[in-house]
Amino acid sequence: MWFSTLRSILFVSWLWAVVPVFAAEPMLVSNSLNTCQEDSMFTASLFKVVYTPNNNTAFLNIVATSSVEGSVVFDIAISAYGYTIIETTIDPCKVGLAGLCPMTAGKIPLKFNLPVGEEAASQIPGIAYTFPDLDATVRVFLNMTDTGKSVACVEADISNGKTVDLIAVKWVLAIIAGLVLCSSAILNGLGHSNAAAHVASGALSLFGFFQAQAMLGLTAIHLPPVVQSWTQDFQWSMGIINVDFMQDIFTWYQRATGGTPSTIFDSLTTVSVQVEKRALSVMPDAAVNLYRRSAALLPRGAASLMKRGNVMTGSGSYIVYGIQRVAFRAGIETTNLFMTGLVFFCLFVVITIGAVAAFKGLCELAVKQKWMKGDKFLEFRNGWLTVLKGILFRLTLIGYPQMSILCLWEFTQVDSPAEVVLAVFFIVGMTVTLGWAASKVIRIARRSVAMHRNPAYILFSDPQALNKWGFLYVQFRASAYYFIIPVLGYTLVKAMFISFAQNNNTAQAIGFLLIEAGALIAASVLRPWMDKSTNSFNIAICAVNFINAIFLLIFSDVFNQPPLVNGVIGLILFFLNAIFATILLIMVIISTTLIFYRKNPDGRYQFMADDRTSFMKSQSQLTGTTELDALAATARGDKAGYKGGLDLDDDNESISSASLRRRTDTSNLTIPTAAPNGAYNRNNHADPPRSPVDPSVPLFPANGGPQRAPSPFNGSSAASQRSQHSGSPPSYRAQNNASPWQRGAGYDH
């Protein structure tokens, strides 16, 4: 059922994406005119050209400023993906271009239809009208007729209206990611912890790859059009989603808190916007000089406003790049971008809280009405507040890349004082929260090592710790519990390079290369994830991210390669990532679907080498608990092992705290003398050794000094330590262990 629903969604989305491509009228479009020569004497603040091959007509709407006087000829070169395909010369006097023969100084508004001859139209290949995100450029030199000297140079980027930036693709990716995350939660609620851990790990890795793709688009590095559109498909994972009425609210809020909203979309009818394909450091000198001269002529306040807002050239058009480029392509004012990401993250959290509370209510209603068995989702129903805290921590981890980039970038923009305060609150709050949670996991793991010589014991045997902090370590093997620290550091450093290096694309490219190289080496050497397949899955993601970082370094023009190289590398990046993302999606969908068709979902995966499944306890599976267990839980005031209330600090509610500290208190321990060899064989029927865990209260030590096991750190030999932990014969334990928790925790070995 789940697979058929997903298949229907994919088919409808494919139709939604493909039908408009075939139905749309073929055309070539250009929306901005850029200068490409020092001291260019011809610029345009508005430039819109649309050529339709069906009627061989080009519509032009231009507002240009010219300092050229006299007759000129146009030397035109058309290139695609850096390769020149057409070179021609046009005399405006011979083709009858009014206002350009001869040219006069001043402002020239032009709006007319230009017939295109059959010979010129035949030189345009048919693929130019169908291939998405066409990377084509028309460069025109204006040469004086009498001297042949070039007095101006302008270039325009050409598009055919086809793109891989599709709303259907975004919805499909978001739905798949959401369904997989929900599937892991359902499996965990049903008690299939092993399968749930694998599904959750795959879902988080997939979502992390989506965010890594979005980060490529947020860099200020030159990106070919197809790469820009491809990365735009993943910006929803960073909270960059355009909703019209919300944009109006954000603009009002910014004005109300002392900010000045940008109005770039309101001026599109009179001003062109250049979606930059080159960083400022490698732009034509003419564009950079125009920007610097215009900034120098402005008052100090206006210049500072332009520095932190949209960049305007001397011709009056805007340039957007990096984070601003992503905002413009998403239809969001750049000054509203921070609030957009912030509000969607908060909405995501609020909706999740409501969904968890509603599911709790539905489960209780279903049990009360006998629509569902009483042992279904028992752990969730009894400790849903603890589970909710764990879910909120997980959402914080998922949203940390998004909020770290947007908050740090807001420090460079200062859209309004109130927004800066929000940025400080969220970046500090989320960083401290995740850092404190990571330190909590490390303390629990070290305590488990000290008590049991195995970090997995407490990390996976305590349901409170597992449900609240498990999001930080379940995807890793038990001995790599610390790996969440490098992951958080990787995310924060990467966000700093994206946010603070928007004006230096070379620094961004080199930083990305070093960061991704370190991540790949660490993942390949340490292999911290839970099993071989999960390690291979994540190492492959790290390898693709590293290859993308190499491509970014090439796009930064640090090697001064010809434009053809950038065009080819852009296509390689698109196809490589598209194929890899498709493979990841298929793997996650198939593995998740097969789990729901198995009678025992946990049986699909091998048990972990860290023996975590021996320590995991599912209260819905404790069918052998005695009446004494229930009485003990009632006397303690617990509800099936969970404490009431919503404590923000679980130091007092975890079995890894007070009870285990009593076990390490050597002042209350009596160290027995070593028994002679064969003592247990002679006396096992008369006086069998006692387990250090009281059978009446599962996993809680028994009271009474002589019956306690001595600490493994009191200098006893290895043989005596083994006898203390496994001295009684297995047959005796199998017959006398009252609690099934002991059998699941490894006491029967």
Side-chain angles (χ1 to χ4, degrees), residues 141-160:
F141 287 93
L142 278 70
N143 302 326
M144 299 300 297
T145 304
D146 50 356
T147 63
K149 179 182 177 181
S150 176
V151 294
C153 175
V154 292
E155 64 179 8
D157 297 326
I158 306 298
S159 172
N160 55 17

Side-chain angles (χ1 to χ4, degrees), residues 340-631:
T340 300
L342 173 65
V343 168
F344 270 101
F345 173 72
C346 295
L347 286 176
F348 184 42
V349 172
V350 171
I351 292 173
T352 302
I353 294 174
V356 172
F359 185 69
K360 157 70 174 175
L362 289 175
C363 288
E364 296 296 342
L365 179 62
V367 172
K368 186 176 181 180
Q369 298 294 331
K370 300 187 182 303
W371 301 335
M372 185 175 67
K373 293 182 179 180
D375 59 348
K376 290 293 185 181
F377 299 105
L378 182 61
E379 286 188 53
F380 169 76
R381 285 158 44 211
N382 291 338
W384 75 281
L385 291 178
T386 301
V387 174
L388 179 59
K389 285 188 285 185
I391 292 175
L392 294 180
F393 277 117
R394 187 181 293 271
L395 294 181
T396 304
L397 180 63
I398 291 175
Y400 188 62
Q402 160 193 341
M403 294 308 302
S404 58
I405 291 174
L406 294 178
C407 290
L408 294 177
W409 185 64
E410 177 61 24
F411 296 155
T412 67
Q413 300 300 295
V414 193
D415 294 322
S416 78
E419 293 187 25
V420 174
V421 172
L422 289 174
V424 172
F425 174 79
F426 274 88
I427 186 63
V428 174
M430 296 178 71
T431 303
V432 171
T433 299
L434 291 175
W436 176 76
S439 66
K440 182 73 175 178
V441 170
I442 292 176
R443 292 200 304 270
I444 295 175
R446 287 179 176 176
R447 188 184 304 160
S448 181
V449 172
M451 293 300 305
H452 308 283
R453 298 194 172 200
N454 187 350
Y457 186 91
I458 299 178
L459 288 176
F460 293 97
S461 67
D462 183 359
Q464 295 280 36
L466 184 60
N467 285 326
K468 187 182 293 185
W469 313 114
F471 72 99
L472 291 174
Y473 60 82
V474 291
Q475 65 267 35
F476 306 120
R477 65 175 190 271
S479 58
Y481 58 86
Y482 59 86
F483 201 74
I484 189 61
I485 297 293
V487 169
L488 293 177
Y490 163 86
T491 302
L492 185 59
V493 173
K494 198 171 181 180
M496 289 180 177
F497 271 97
I498 294 176
S499 303
F500 295 149
Q502 285 288 305
N503 292 327
N504 193 332
N505 64 337
T506 303
Q508 276 189 339
I510 296 176
F512 263 64
L513 185 65
L514 296 177
I515 293 171
E516 299 298 348
L520 178 60
I521 293 173
S524 302
V525 174
L526 298 177
R527 298 187 178 185
W529 288 275
M530 63 175 72
D531 57 11
K532 184 177 180 180
S533 61
T534 310
N535 275 294
S536 301
F537 190 86
N538 287 276
I539 291 174
I541 292 177
C542 292
V544 172
N545 289 339
F546 176 68
I547 294 174
N548 291 336
I550 297 176
F551 290 162
L552 287 183
L553 186 64
I554 296 175
F555 293 150
S556 67
D557 289 334
V558 69
F559 303 113
N560 292 322
Q561 69 276 2
L564 178 61
V565 175
N566 286 3
V568 174
I569 293 297
L571 292 176
I572 295 175
L573 187 149
F574 165 67
F575 285 112
L576 170 66
N577 286 270
I579 294 173
F580 184 72
T582 303
I583 293 174
L584 292 184
L585 286 171
I586 293 174
M587 290 175 60
V588 171
I589 292 173
I590 292 178
S591 63
T592 305
T593 305
L594 292 178
I595 287 176
F596 283 93
Y597 282 100
R598 294 182 70 97
K599 186 176 181 179
N600 180 19
D602 286 337
R604 186 179 183 276
Y605 300 99
Q606 295 181 350
F607 290 113
M608 302 297 101
D610 54 23
D611 206 24
R612 65 178 64 183
T613 53
S614 298
F615 305 133
M616 287 183 179
K617 304 177 300 299
S618 175
Q619 296 186 23
S620 62
Q621 297 171 355
L622 297 181
T623 57
T625 52
T626 63
E627 295 180 3
L628 190 58
D629 294 335
L631 283 174

Side-chain angles (χ1 to χ4, degrees), residues 7-20 22 166 168-169 172:
R7 183 173 57 186
S8 301
I9 293 174
L10 292 173
F11 178 72
V12 173
S13 302
W14 179 83
L15 288 178
W16 188 8
V18 172
V19 170
F22 291 101
L166 299 170
V169 174
V172 169

Side-chain angles (χ1 to χ4, degrees), residues 178-400:
L179 288 176
V180 175
L181 284 172
C182 292
S183 300
S184 66
I186 294 173
L187 288 171
N188 189 58
L190 293 173
H192 306 297
S193 55
N194 191 24
H198 282 82
V199 173
S201 177
L204 291 178
S205 299
L206 181 66
F207 198 84
F209 177 73
F210 290 169
Q211 290 181 322
Q213 296 288 292
M215 291 179 188
L216 293 178
L218 292 172
T219 61
I221 301 170
H222 155 65
L223 296 177
V226 68
V227 179
Q228 294 180 23
S229 297
W230 168 253
T231 57
Q232 201 73 23
D233 283 329
F234 300 92
Q235 297 302 334
W236 59 268
S237 65
M238 308 298 288
I240 302 176
I241 305 171
N242 183 18
V243 179
D244 291 338
F245 79 91
M246 295 179 67
Q247 296 302 313
D248 296 335
I249 296 174
F250 300 152
T251 300
W252 167 84
Y253 177 80
Q254 190 176 7
R255 287 197 181 100
T257 55
T260 304
S262 63
T263 57
I264 189 171
F265 287 98
D266 294 335
S267 59
L268 285 180
T269 56
T270 57
V271 176
S272 294
V273 177
Q274 305 173 18
V275 179
E276 190 188 7
K277 294 170 57 179
R278 298 175 182 268
L280 287 177
S281 58
V282 295
M283 283 181 60
D285 293 336
V288 178
N289 291 336
L290 284 172
Y291 166 66
R292 290 174 178 170
R293 289 198 298 268
S294 60
L297 294 175
L298 288 173
R300 180 175 300 178
S304 63
L305 177 65
M306 185 176 63
K307 181 179 180 181
R308 70 169 179 84
N310 302 114
V311 177
M312 179 180 288
T313 66
S315 62
S317 61
Y318 289 103
I319 297 178
V320 292
Y321 59 93
I323 297 177
Q324 293 181 347
R325 175 181 62 208
V326 170
F328 177 76
R329 289 180 62 99
I332 300 172
E333 293 286 356
T334 55
T335 52
N336 288 344
L337 185 66
F338 167 71
M339 287 300 300
T340 300
L342 173 65
V343 168
F344 270 101
F345 173 72
C346 295
L347 286 176
F348 184 42
V349 172
V350 171
I351 292 173
T352 302
I353 294 174
V356 172
F359 185 69
K360 157 70 174 175
L362 289 175
C363 288
E364 296 296 342
L365 179 62
V367 172
K368 186 176 181 180
Q369 298 294 331
K370 300 187 182 303
W371 301 335
M372 185 175 67
K373 293 182 179 180
D375 59 348
K376 290 293 185 181
F377 299 105
L378 182 61
E379 286 188 53
F380 169 76
R381 285 158 44 211
N382 291 338
W384 75 281
L385 291 178
T386 301
V387 174
L388 179 59
K389 285 188 285 185
I391 292 175
L392 294 180
F393 277 117
R394 187 181 293 271
L395 294 181
T396 304
L397 180 63
I398 291 175
Y400 188 62

